[in-house]
Amino acid sequence: MSRAFVNEDNAAAQADQPVERQVSAQPNYVTPAGFSQLQAKVAELQRLHSEQSAKGEQADKQRQVDLERDLRYFNQRLQSAQVVTAAHSTQKAQIGSRVTFADEHNTEQTVQLVGEDQADAAVGLINWGSPLGRALLGAHIGDEVLWQRPAGDQMIEIIRIEPA
């Protein structure tokens, strides 16, 4: 058999394999709510994978491979999770804190510092390792910190810190 045919077969088999999800190099700090979300995600993926497996030959093979990839990723995230107990300080921004800050136009915004798997900027949940999260983490009320944004650096002032 020609070597070209073997390589084509291997290439076709590899095309079915999804690209692995990259795991962040930063510590996997999570809030208790974030840890619960990870547990629920793993349980949901296990349920969906079991449903596909139960279909036998009728199973969607690509869906099954995608679920297996996601299960590997979220199991790894769950295993590496370091639960950070709820922040109780109203003076220093920590993971779990709700932080209100104002920009140079005195426009206020409130965000909560959370782990990367829990982050959802649309609802104000900000990854502690993001540019905004790094600017806020460890800041105190009244501090002016530099938010290094892709759109340009901006000074922001910490107005309020609330425990989670």
Side-chain angles (χ1 to χ4, degrees):
M1 176 186 268
S2 167
R3 190 79 185 134
F5 291 114
V6 174
N7 288 339
E8 285 178 11
D9 290 342
N10 286 343
Q14 289 176 351
D16 291 342
Q17 296 299 316
V19 175
E20 285 298 314
R21 296 181 71 160
Q22 294 298 309
V23 176
S24 171
Q26 76 181 13
N28 188 15
Y29 297 128
V30 297
T31 64
F35 188 72
S36 294
Q37 286 177 348
L38 279 173
Q39 290 174 314
K41 182 69 173 180
V42 168
E44 174 70 5
L45 289 168
Q46 288 172 334
R47 183 187 65 76
L48 292 170
H49 186 265
S50 293
E51 286 177 4
Q52 282 297 318
S53 295
K55 293 179 181 179
E57 290 299 315
Q58 305 301 320
D60 180 340
K61 299 300 182 202
Q62 187 60 51
R63 176 79 174 129
Q64 210 164 5
V65 168
D66 290 343
L67 288 167
E68 289 166 0
R69 175 209 50 209
D70 291 346
L71 265 169
R72 282 190 301 276
Y73 173 81
F74 283 105
N75 272 319
Q76 186 174 16
R77 296 299 291 168
L78 192 57
Q79 294 302 314
S80 67
Q82 299 175 46
V83 179
V84 178
T85 56
H88 298 292
S89 175
T90 58
Q91 298 301 311
K92 181 179 176 183
Q94 303 170 35
I95 296 172
S97 297
R98 275 189 274 287
V99 182
T100 301
F101 62 91
D103 63 17
E104 68 269 4
H105 305 294
N106 287 326
T107 302
E108 290 188 11
Q109 184 176 352
T110 301
V111 297
Q112 183 177 7
L113 297 175
V114 298
E116 68 183 288
D117 294 312
Q118 188 181 357
D120 183 353
V123 294
L125 299 174
I126 303 299
N127 175 7
W128 66 270
S130 69
L132 177 57
R134 286 191 309 269
L136 297 175
L137 196 62
H140 295 84
I141 293 174
D143 284 356
E144 287 189 3
V145 297
L146 181 63
W147 176 10
Q148 296 179 323
R149 309 174 314 158
D153 295 351
Q154 182 176 39
M155 289 299 292
I156 54 177
E157 181 182 0
I158 310 304
I159 306 295
R160 188 171 43 259
I161 299 172
E162 303 168 272

